[in-house]
Amino acid sequence: MPITEIKRAGLAAAVKVARQRSTAGRFSQRNMATAVDVTAKLTDKSLFKQTALVGAQQVTSSKVFEVTDPATQAVIGTVPDLDVAAVDAAIDTAHDAFVSFRGTSPFERARVLQRWNALMLENIDDLATILTYENGKPLAEAKGEIRYSASFLEWFAGEAPRAYGDVLNTSVSGHRALTIKQPVGVVSVLTPWNFPAAMITRKVSAAVAAGCTVVIKPDAETPYSALALAELARRAGVPDGVLNVVTTKTALAEVGQLMCADERVKKLSFTGSTAVGKLLMAQSSASLKKLSFELGGNAPFIVFDDVDVDEAVAALVACKFRGSGQTCVCANRVLVHTRVYDEFVEKLVRAVSGFTVGNGFADGVTHGPLIHARALDKVTHHVADAVAHGGEIRIGGSKLPGVGKLFFAPTVVANATPAMAVAHEETFGPLAAVFRFETENEALALANDADVGLASYVITNDVRRALRVAESLQFGMVGVNTGIISDCATPFGGVKFSGFGREGSKYGMEEYMVVKTVTLGGMPPYAS
Ligand code: SIN
């Protein structure tokens, strides 16, 4: 059924929208207010930085770009639109700072990370406010991200002194060998807009713990969280030049090319799309730098027929609609056993009808806008394509122009099939497409039919099946009986076109270190 007919049938917009008062109502008009004063909501106004940071210098430029609130399109500020020369200078600064920073004690680095963690938590309200302004996620969810973000600082403060080497016996008698782990050098960090704070600390805290210096390029949609975190890092005692933040929009391609090709940069860590990951890898080949990439996903969420359906729905809601569906680990294909299918869909629709969509600052709002028009177009296309292939919209299914330009109703589509675009591409939006399966093998075949492999989920009470399916899923991460798998203590990363390398956990620091072998000759077995 075409979307227009579904709308006519009254099925489309059953999701609640926040009462439009104050900013939300005003800005949902065309030509809405052009600017807001972000600092009006901040206790510490100096956390809202509109300058880049290189060494100790707050860098300005005659060329700037505007950053807007996705809920309202109001301009929230500007930041320098730096060119390649400015980014080259930042790499130089990080390169100089590395000479002394690599020699600091890991205990010293741990103390700095601990102080940075404490400062983040002390300033959680301001950081969350900045995050909601630039990303749109509801304030409570933004606070959750700040806590998640800070947890990486706490975690890697603990890991810093534990970068142990080994003492090895060798095949040559009279030889001994040691391994020591050393920081790789200057690191370029390219972060996305969907977790403006957490993706910074997940990378940077591991790099700093290892003794590396960094140049961060946050996404142009969300530079302010990165700049606020850098200010807190400075206050925590991160030495000048260790953490640099460059902002750019028009020179993005050239800056990316520089970060890949420059031989002073020894490591590049990127979170973003598979297409960009492939480009960055090609561009890094001449400099042969260390890479870690966290790229796109297309997560299957498999629900077997032995489960408590309410619990399965709650797990899916937490997983699918986090950040309005804009995370790399959001479920994209919901595979439900035919025996519980109807009950599952019905309860899912009921749960979604309890959402409140609106401006992230409005009371009671559970889901915010999408980040930009391209994101909205993709969800719209996936819904239309699903309907064209026999999908049935059970709730949502359309944009919410009355709420704002970038809002899409959380949507459930039943009767999803592999013929649909949503089966093969990540929607990155609030669309839950529910597929039906009859056997475990069928579910696994559907789940593994993807060129990416980041997160996956299985919901079952059968412990043997849980392990069998978890081992058979071709994904870097599997959530069993949970929709939430992200944690500072567990390795985060994918296989196939979802990239390589692991962030967080005891493995995360390895990405920023190199193992050096020291072989000692002339060692008699015992002194005589
Ligand atoms: C991502 O979407 O890239 C990160 C999600 C997470 O850390 O949970």
Side-chain angles (χ1 to χ4, degrees):
M1 187 177 356
I3 290 182
T4 43
E5 282 179 37
I6 289 162
K7 277 199 207 147
R8 244 178 269 129
L11 293 169
V15 176
K16 277 187 259 161
V17 297
R19 239 170 65 81
Q20 298 302 294
R21 32 169 203 109
S22 65
T23 53
R26 191 148 37 93
F27 294 135
S28 62
Q29 311 301 316
R30 264 179 71 78
N31 296 327
M32 53 304 270
T34 52
V36 286
D37 176 12
V38 172
T39 61
K41 282 191 200 281
L42 302 183
T43 305
D44 180 347
K45 299 182 189 328
S46 66
L47 285 178
F48 187 65
K49 292 262 175 279
Q50 300 193 60
T51 48
L53 179 71
V54 175
Q57 240 199 324
Q58 304 288 333
V59 178
T60 56
S61 168
S62 54
K63 201 167 150 202
V64 296
F65 62 90
E66 291 179 340
V67 180
T68 55
D69 174 352
T72 64
Q73 284 72 59
V75 173
I76 58 173
T78 63
V79 285
D81 193 2
L82 296 180
D83 59 13
V84 175
V87 176
D88 186 79
I91 293 173
D92 237 7
T93 302
H95 192 249
D96 289 348
F98 181 63
V99 175
S100 53
F101 195 61
R102 67 181 168 190
T104 53
S105 143
F107 284 83
E108 203 176 321
R109 300 197 292 267
R111 280 192 291 272
V112 167
L113 291 172
Q114 280 157 4
R115 283 197 294 271
W116 190 5
N117 170 49
L119 285 172
M120 276 195 76
L121 296 176
E122 275 165 34
N123 289 281
I124 186 168
D125 290 341
D126 284 348
L127 294 173
T129 297
I130 291 170
L131 207 160
T132 293
Y133 262 125
E134 64 182 359
N135 167 281
K137 63 179 70 174
L139 199 55
E141 193 174 347
K143 282 187 193 171
E145 179 178 339
I146 298 303
R147 276 189 285 273
Y148 177 46
S149 177
S151 73
F152 291 104
L153 299 172
E154 184 182 22
W155 175 264
F156 284 109
E159 287 296 295
R162 289 185 237 296
Y164 302 127
D166 302 299
V167 180
L168 308 167
N169 294 315
T170 74
S171 62
V172 180
S173 94
H175 276 193
R176 301 284 184 282
L178 318 174
T179 60
I180 50 177
K181 292 183 180 170
Q182 295 185 313
V184 64
V186 176
V187 180
S188 280
V189 163
L190 304 175
T191 56
W193 49 261
N194 63 340
F195 286 88
M199 295 306 101
I200 303 280
T201 52
R202 187 154 81 187
K203 297 172 192 302
V204 172
S205 55
V208 168
C212 297
T213 58
V214 294
V215 179
I216 304 168
K217 202 231 33 92
D219 196 279
E221 313 278 356
T222 56
Y224 293 121
S225 294
L227 293 165
L229 292 191
E231 168 61 16
L232 293 178
R234 200 189 55 73
R235 293 183 198 174
V238 172
D240 292 341
V242 168
L243 197 160
N244 307 278
V245 185
V246 293
T247 50
T248 188
K249 191 166 187 177
T250 51
L252 182 60
E254 294 84 350
V255 166
Q257 166 81 48
L258 173 73
M259 287 180 158
C260 292
D262 197 296
E263 292 183 15
R264 290 166 299 174
V265 177
K266 300 296 181 207
K267 154 93 192 179
L268 186 135
S269 176
F270 168 67
T271 295
S273 71
T274 299
V276 174
K278 287 183 181 181
L279 180 69
L280 296 175
M281 189 160 180
Q283 291 179 343
S284 298
S285 66
S287 68
L288 276 185
K289 56 178 51 63
K290 220 168 141 87
L291 300 171
S292 49
F293 288 164
E294 193 251 283
L295 309 176
N298 181 355
F301 189 101
I302 308 174
V303 180
F304 284 99
D305 58 344
D306 59 2
V307 298
D308 176 327
V309 173
D310 292 302
E311 284 178 14
V313 166
L316 177 71
V317 164
C319 172
K320 170 67 246 183
F321 294 102
R322 178 173 168 231
S324 291
Q326 302 175 104
T327 91
C328 296
V329 291
C330 280
N332 202 55
R333 297 167 292 155
V334 187
L335 314 177
V336 181
H337 193 279
T338 190
R339 266 201 289 271
V340 289
Y341 187 94
D342 292 339
E343 182 188 353
F344 183 92
V345 171
E346 191 187 308
K347 288 183 167 169
L348 177 59
V349 168
R350 204 179 307 147
V352 171
S353 70
F355 293 177
T356 302
V357 180
N359 188 307
F361 288 113
D363 284 346
V365 161
T366 54
H367 294 81
L370 299 185
I371 191 72
H372 45 43
R374 291 190 308 286
L376 199 71
D377 289 348
K378 185 152 193 198
V379 188
T380 309
H381 162 63
H382 273 193
V383 172
D385 173 84
V387 170
H389 286 90
E392 190 193 330
I393 296 178
R394 298 292 296 272
I395 189 166
S398 58
K399 298 176 191 172
L400 296 172
V403 184
K405 200 170 143 191
L406 296 178
F407 288 87
F408 198 95
T411 298
V412 176
V413 168
N415 301 333
T417 71
M420 298 172 180
V422 64
H424 306 288
E425 292 166 24
E426 189 177 30
T427 307
F428 229 66
L431 161 63
V434 193
F435 300 68
R436 193 187 286 270
F437 72 87
E438 290 191 9
T439 67
E440 183 180 311
N441 281 347
E442 187 191 349
L444 272 171
L446 279 168
N448 286 334
D449 182 17
D451 59 2
V452 288
L454 189 63
S456 57
Y457 305 86
V458 50
I459 311 293
T460 177
N461 281 321
D462 178 338
V463 70
R464 281 185 291 189
R465 173 156 60 196
L467 208 54
R468 190 167 62 231
V469 171
E471 287 180 5
S472 306
L473 283 166
Q474 296 160 10
F475 293 81
M477 297 173 285
V478 186
V480 178
N481 294 332
T482 177
I484 299 293
I485 55 172
S486 307
D487 192 287
C488 63
T490 58
F492 191 104
V495 297
K496 302 202 240 176
F497 284 167
S498 291
F500 43 78
R502 292 295 178 265
E503 298 192 318
S505 80
K506 66 175 181 175
Y507 304 104
M509 244 172 90
E510 306 283 340
E511 305 287 338
Y512 298 92
M513 295 187 299
V514 281
V515 175
K516 178 178 281 179
T517 307
V518 180
T519 303
L520 307 172
M523 304 285 289
Y526 294 102
S528 51

